[in-house]
Amino acid sequence: MKSIWQQILRYLYIGKKDPAAPKSTYISMMHGMNRISIIVFVIALIIMLIKLFTRHH
């Protein structure tokens, strides 16, 4: 489970990069798409939480 969080931090440029990781155009594009999907997911969670807490009963 710890490695999943480390990989997410690497996608978002927060964690250190693995020097032994292969360098390829396809891998960098894959990381870019993963980064975009993580950011969109977090934005969607924030919007859902805002709607949940600001709903008028």
Side-chain angles (χ1 to χ4, degrees):
M1 194 67 167
K2 185 177 179 182
S3 64
I4 293 172
W5 289 111
Q6 289 174 347
Q7 189 67 36
I8 291 172
L9 292 176
R10 279 190 214 123
Y11 286 151
L12 299 174
Y13 294 119
I14 298 172
K16 289 196 282 185
K17 290 188 176 185
D18 186 10
K23 293 179 178 151
S24 166
T25 303
Y26 297 113
I27 291 176
S28 64
M29 288 192 306
M30 178 193 69
H31 288 305
M33 289 190 301
N34 287 341
R35 188 176 306 116
I36 290 169
S37 62
I38 290 170
I39 291 170
V40 169
F41 177 73
V42 169
I43 290 171
L45 281 178
I46 292 170
I47 290 171
M48 288 174 63
L49 287 173
I50 289 172
K51 285 186 176 189
L52 179 70
F53 290 120
T54 60
R55 187 182 325 167
H56 300 294
H57 294 334

